[in-house]
Amino acid sequence: MTAVSQSSGQEQRPEEVCVEFCDVEKSFGGEQKILDGINLRLPAGTTTAVVGESGSGKTTLLQLVNAVLRPDAGEVRVFGQPIPQDDLVSFRRGIGYAVQGAGLFPHLSNRENVELLAKLAGWSASRREARYLQLLAMMGLDEEVSDRYPHTISGGQQQRVGLCRAFMLQPRLLLLDEPFSAVDPITRIGIYQTFSEVKAREGVSSLLVTHDMREAARLADYLVILARGRVLQEGTVGDIIAAPADDYVQMLVKEQL
Amino acid sequence: MIRKALLLLRGLPCRLAATEVAFVLARVFAAGLLGAAAASAAASDPVRIGSKNFNESYLLSEIAAQLLEQRGFTVERRFGLGGTLICYEALRNDEIDLYIEYSGTISQAILNLSLDAGLDQLRQSLAPFGLHLQEPLGFNNTYAMVVKRSVARRLGLTKIGDLAAHPELRVVVSHEFLERDDGWPGLALTYGLDPAVTGIEHGLAYQALDDGAIDVTDAYSTDGELVRYDLAVLEDDRAYFPDYLALPLVRADLPLDVQRALAPLAGRLDDGRMQALNAAVVFEGRTFADVAGAFLEKEGLAEGSYAGDVFWQDLARNTLQHLKLTSLALVGAVIAGVGLSLVVFRNRGLSQVLLYFCGLLQTIPSIALLALMIPLFGIGVLPAILALFLYSLLPILRNTITALTTLDPTLIRVALAMGMTNGQQLRWIYVPLALPSMLAGIRTAAVISIGTATLAAFIGAGGLGEPIVTGLALNNVGLILQGAVPAALLAITTELLFEGIERAVLPGHLRASL
């Protein structure tokens, strides 16, 4: 509940919260709750990283935000609004989504992958092209990749195309599901750099889930440590390094940072 | 019961047993729907003539057809129907107007009367069904005991009774004749002959007789082989064999002028003449049309014999018909198969049920499925297309549903999370990604359909099966190839066509190998 006050020094009013979880619970039929009593207020205009190992519930948490999943109990709000019951299509189009391994559609060229949603949303060809070329340049991609299929370019390039696709509709919020973990460490450094610049220029709020503490520290202003469906600790990178909440967080800090 | 079953198959190649069995089943299942398609023919309608699928039946129907054409009637030939009950049901359901039947078959297989029922009794029994029996054509295609003419002359054999005085003659009969109620055991008893004789495969008996390896065997009294091998038929002087008189069985509502036009055929064909006509087709390789035309001309019933070589016209007509059957069935199956798949694939249970059901359909032998269609849809193009449609459904459904349900879940989640509607997901993600597998299924269905459509000739739907069925009846390899070769070429062409389509619509990395 201290997210706003602890947020990095960006100027914003306290009520500007991009994602809010209120007593959220989620399970998939079994005894074990995947998420158990999640309460979070993530400040707008910042990047939040949810850090946890596999099974911690971090991907489930992310999918509650764009209503791919619905909570069993509690409520998720996005930019102060509860997630709508219908017209999820336009709701989701306001949220960019990038996943591990890029998740590009293999039957579409890179350019078609990026432009598809804009086309479905009724953007004119010229508007699409302008936006596409802008993103391509920002993301450091050569125009030569446009007409090629995803499988013909490198994993790093695919990831950049995937990010272009996530940014295409100028979303206010970006959800990133370990988008960099399939890329080799050297390439990853370059993408971090590019991504940080682009999200700053686009002024987008981001929610990133990752198992990599170092990636979280590198990209995020604010961290949430998740384990077995519960929030162990949240705060700025500095806060967490300074005062790990328990042995597990201590271990994460020690091993990975 | 066995006797009835044997009678059903009498004179038919044994490969058709399945048809008859299936047909009996079809009657049981669909008895209530019989006759649904009945509608009486207007006077100007073409006369639809059926035939069974053995050479004598083709020939007699062709003779009837040409006679009617000579008298100015339009004729539609629905020849080569797969057996007695298919012909009979087609007649009753007003799918054909007439065909040539045998009196013994009518009393035994159709009406379940005793073998000695007279023609008047048959006519009385058929009348309630709206059917009428015309006068016999003359010959009696029953069992006969035959010997080489030279042997008959030397020993003075003219009657079956004469055999009793020559116990040294080697009597070898077909296996079926050995077992039948109206076969050898009763014959031996009636004529006081040795009941213990050897059995032989009927196809080999004539050659064995000709080679002098055996002396006496059974035959059908109008087989062309009797002419070819110069065999003498021993007279059944104690009237042991039942009559199988050939005679036109017509619908009673057939216009009288048509019925009258057929009347001159009565008594025209004795056993010897029928043997000669059969031999002309079987051993001289002449067409039914040719032999029938020559016969009518000789009898003064027609002017000008049958004209010309129709090989290419037949080929074109059969191929076009084949394409029509398969393409209509395939288009239907693609629409229904892909449509159903898209509707049900998200529901696992429903998908399974649908696949099991189509799998079940696939296990019905094709000839049986065709037969099952008759009580519901009659004979001809419609039931053939429906049967082919059902066969084409499984490969399309299976490939499409499997492909749709095994797509990379990440891609599906991304498509959903990005904000695509259900329709957009189908149009942009599901269908294009499932397309390679879908096309493979359609390709399989097309090739299966082309192969199976050759059987459509059994229910009068035409196509490349027509020369095959006729060729099988005549044991004429050339005629079989006239259907089989184009069908094979069609299948190969279809393969190539689909390969072209795949090249055109699928990016290289999504194409199936090759």
Side-chain angles (χ1 to χ4, degrees):
Chain A
M1 294 309 102
T2 54
V4 176
S5 60
Q6 288 185 355
S7 71
S8 59
Q10 293 181 20
E11 288 174 48
Q12 56 182 287
R13 284 165 291 140
E15 66 269 26
E16 275 201 302
V17 171
C18 66
V19 178
E20 188 175 2
F21 286 81
C22 307
D23 299 318
V24 167
E25 289 184 13
K26 179 70 185 173
S27 68
F28 293 113
E31 290 285 298
Q32 184 79 33
K33 282 181 183 154
I34 301 296
L35 293 176
D36 190 3
I38 302 290
N39 283 290
L40 288 171
R41 283 163 62 85
L42 307 178
T46 65
T47 298
T48 302
V50 177
V51 184
E53 53 199 48
S54 356
S56 62
K58 61 187 191 299
T59 296
T60 303
L61 187 107
L62 196 71
Q63 292 178 4
L64 288 169
V65 177
N66 55 10
V68 169
L69 297 173
R70 293 284 190 174
D72 299 334
E75 191 184 32
V76 180
R77 293 169 155 267
V78 176
F79 292 109
Q81 300 298 316
I83 290 171
Q85 287 306 308
D86 42 19
D87 195 23
L88 283 172
V89 167
S90 60
F91 168 73
R92 285 173 178 146
R93 283 178 185 174
I95 302 176
Y97 189 52
V99 297
Q100 182 178 358
L104 297 176
F105 302 121
H107 59 294
L108 299 177
S109 72
N110 293 314
R111 179 176 183 152
E112 288 167 333
N113 262 285
V114 175
E115 288 194 9
L116 177 59
L117 253 289
K119 186 169 162 183
L120 298 181
W123 287 27
S124 71
S126 58
R127 184 177 173 203
R128 289 203 305 266
E129 171 160 32
R131 176 66 174 160
Y132 171 72
L133 291 176
Q134 180 197 15
L135 283 171
L136 211 59
M138 282 200 290
M139 214 50 86
L141 286 165
D142 195 295
E143 243 183 275
E144 179 263 347
V145 303
S146 296
D147 295 328
R148 291 167 64 176
Y149 285 104
H151 75 286
T152 66
I153 60 175
S154 72
Q157 286 176 310
Q158 288 180 27
Q159 211 64 68
R160 287 169 191 262
V161 173
L163 287 170
C164 285
R165 183 174 67 179
F167 277 113
M168 182 71 190
L169 291 182
Q170 296 166 312
R172 289 175 73 194
L173 174 64
L174 202 58
L175 301 180
L176 303 124
D177 190 353
E178 304 215 41
F180 309 108
S181 58
V183 183
D184 70 81
I186 310 280
T187 310
R188 210 182 296 170
I189 304 296
I191 300 181
Y192 286 162
Q193 185 62 43
T194 313
F195 173 65
S196 298
E197 288 164 18
V198 175
K199 79 179 159 75
R201 269 170 74 174
E202 293 280 316
V204 68
S205 309
S206 316
L207 177 55
L208 164 77
V209 306
T210 178
H211 63 270
D212 184 345
M213 194 70 176
R214 193 173 304 171
E215 178 171 283
R218 173 78 174 73
L219 292 174
D221 314 297
Y222 194 75
L223 302 189
V224 175
I225 314 288
L226 200 67
R228 288 183 302 282
R230 291 169 175 278
V231 176
L232 289 187
Q233 189 173 8
E234 55 181 305
T236 63
V237 181
D239 293 341
I240 288 175
I241 293 175
D246 64 5
D247 292 350
Y248 179 78
V249 182
Q250 169 98 52
M251 187 269 290
L252 277 182
V253 170
K254 213 172 136 192
E255 294 292 317
Q256 294 199 6
L257 287 179
Chain B
M1 194 58 216
I2 290 171
R3 183 186 167 87
K4 176 169 178 177
L6 287 171
L7 278 165
L8 278 179
L9 296 171
R10 186 172 191 278
L12 295 179
C14 57
R15 64 183 168 275
L16 286 172
T19 321
E20 300 282 5
V21 172
F23 195 77
V24 171
L25 283 175
R27 294 186 76 194
V28 173
F29 288 133
L33 292 152
L34 278 178
S40 66
S44 59
D45 286 347
V47 182
R48 299 155 303 171
I49 304 182
S51 94
K52 302 186 195 180
N53 56 344
F54 58 94
N55 58 313
E56 187 171 287
S57 189
Y58 275 105
L59 192 46
L60 293 171
S61 292
E62 179 62 30
I63 288 172
Q66 287 194 23
L67 180 62
L68 291 181
E69 282 170 341
Q70 282 288 335
R71 298 289 184 271
F73 296 101
T74 314
V75 170
E76 191 180 319
R77 290 170 172 76
R78 295 191 158 186
F79 292 178
L81 302 180
T84 297
L85 281 176
I86 290 184
C87 280
Y88 179 70
E89 291 297 336
L91 188 69
R92 279 201 49 194
N93 287 311
D94 202 15
E95 296 285 343
I96 56 177
D97 294 308
L98 69 103
Y99 74 102
I100 311 296
E101 191 47 281
Y102 298 90
S103 56
T105 306
I106 296 174
S107 56
Q108 286 289 291
I110 296 177
L111 297 174
N112 270 321
L113 300 173
S114 71
L115 269 176
D116 51 16
L119 288 185
D120 287 339
Q121 196 182 339
L122 295 188
R123 286 198 180 103
Q124 269 171 29
S125 305
L126 287 169
F129 301 123
L131 302 179
H132 176 65
L133 213 46
Q134 294 201 312
E135 288 304 308
L137 303 180
F139 67 88
N140 177 14
N141 183 1
T142 183
Y143 273 110
M145 298 310 294
V146 296
V147 294
K148 279 178 85 169
R149 196 170 300 283
S150 54
V151 175
R153 213 168 280 147
R154 180 159 49 81
L155 300 177
L157 301 174
T158 58
K159 302 175 292 198
I160 297 177
D162 297 340
L163 290 175
H166 296 279
E168 79 281 6
L169 290 174
R170 290 156 299 174
V171 180
V172 178
V173 300
S174 67
H175 296 292
E176 191 195 334
F177 189 66
L178 212 47
E179 301 298 326
R180 286 176 64 114
D181 291 357
D182 56 351
W184 181 259
L187 185 79
L189 202 66
T190 307
Y191 285 99
L193 304 173
D194 182 1
V197 298
T198 324
I200 188 173
E201 168 59 37
H202 186 63
L204 301 174
Y206 289 119
Q207 193 61 48
L209 208 58
D210 198 46
D211 293 344
I214 63 176
D215 297 309
V216 184
T217 192
D218 61 298
Y220 295 121
S221 56
T222 57
D223 276 358
E225 282 84 350
L226 303 186
V227 177
R228 186 187 189 196
Y229 292 109
D230 195 21
L231 304 179
V233 174
L234 299 177
E235 189 195 332
D236 181 18
D237 50 328
R238 294 187 189 172
Y240 169 72
F241 291 124
D243 277 349
Y244 283 88
L245 300 171
L247 61 196
L249 181 56
V250 306
R251 289 183 60 79
D253 59 12
L254 187 64
L256 276 181
D257 50 346
V258 179
Q259 299 199 36
R260 264 189 231 111
L262 289 169
L265 289 179
R268 289 266 176 182
L269 284 158
D270 61 16
D271 289 11
R273 205 168 273 178
M274 195 65 233
Q275 287 165 15
L277 293 179
N278 282 334
V281 172
V282 178
F283 299 111
E284 294 167 28
R286 292 163 65 191
T287 63
F288 296 122
D290 184 17
V291 173
F295 166 77
L296 289 172
E297 196 180 3
K298 201 167 147 203
E299 294 292 312
L301 296 172
E303 299 131 20
S305 68
Y306 177 75
D309 181 8
V310 291
F311 177 83
W312 292 108
Q313 287 101 299
D314 279 356
L315 185 65
R317 180 173 51 84
N318 290 335
T319 307
L320 276 177
Q321 178 71 1
H322 207 83
L323 280 173
K324 179 177 149 195
L325 294 175
T326 49
S327 54
L328 283 175
L330 192 66
V331 167
V334 169
I335 293 170
V338 173
L340 272 175
S341 301
L342 291 177
V343 171
V344 305
F345 82 93
R346 290 180 207 264
N347 183 331
R348 204 181 150 73
L350 207 58
S351 303
Q352 288 295 342
V353 168
L354 199 64
L355 286 178
Y356 287 145
F357 176 72
C358 287
L360 197 70
L361 280 177
Q362 212 78 3
T363 63
I364 304 175
S366 35
I367 186 74
L369 186 63
L370 288 172
L372 282 165
M373 290 283 164
I374 297 170
L376 301 168
F377 304 105
I379 60 169
V381 172
L382 179 67
I385 289 176
L386 277 171
L388 293 175
F389 163 81
L390 289 176
Y391 275 116
S392 304
L393 217 46
L394 180 68
I396 297 177
L397 271 177
R398 170 155 293 159
N399 278 30
T400 308
I401 289 179
T402 306
L404 288 173
T405 50
T406 55
L407 294 183
D408 180 353
T410 303
L411 298 182
I412 300 310
R413 183 157 41 84
V414 168
L416 178 73
M418 283 169 70
M420 289 194 201
T421 64
N422 272 333
Q424 288 166 345
Q425 289 171 41
L426 286 181
R427 157 76 182 79
W428 291 95
I429 310 300
Y430 281 99
V431 171
L433 287 176
L435 195 60
S437 181
M438 240 185 253
L439 280 174
I442 295 171
R443 185 167 164 169
T444 307
V447 173
I448 288 178
S449 186
I450 287 171
T452 310
T454 52
L455 294 172
F458 279 124
I459 54 170
L464 291 167
E466 206 168 275
I468 295 179
V469 170
T470 316
L472 284 172
L474 292 175
N475 204 11
N476 179 336
V477 176
L479 208 50
I480 293 173
L481 291 179
Q482 256 179 59
V485 171
L489 290 175
L490 217 54
I492 294 170
T493 312
T494 306
E495 284 278 357
L496 293 174
L497 183 73
F498 271 93
E499 211 168 300
I501 293 175
E502 283 174 20
R503 271 175 206 286
V505 303
L506 296 179
H509 62 288
L510 294 178
R511 242 176 262 152
S513 55
L514 276 179

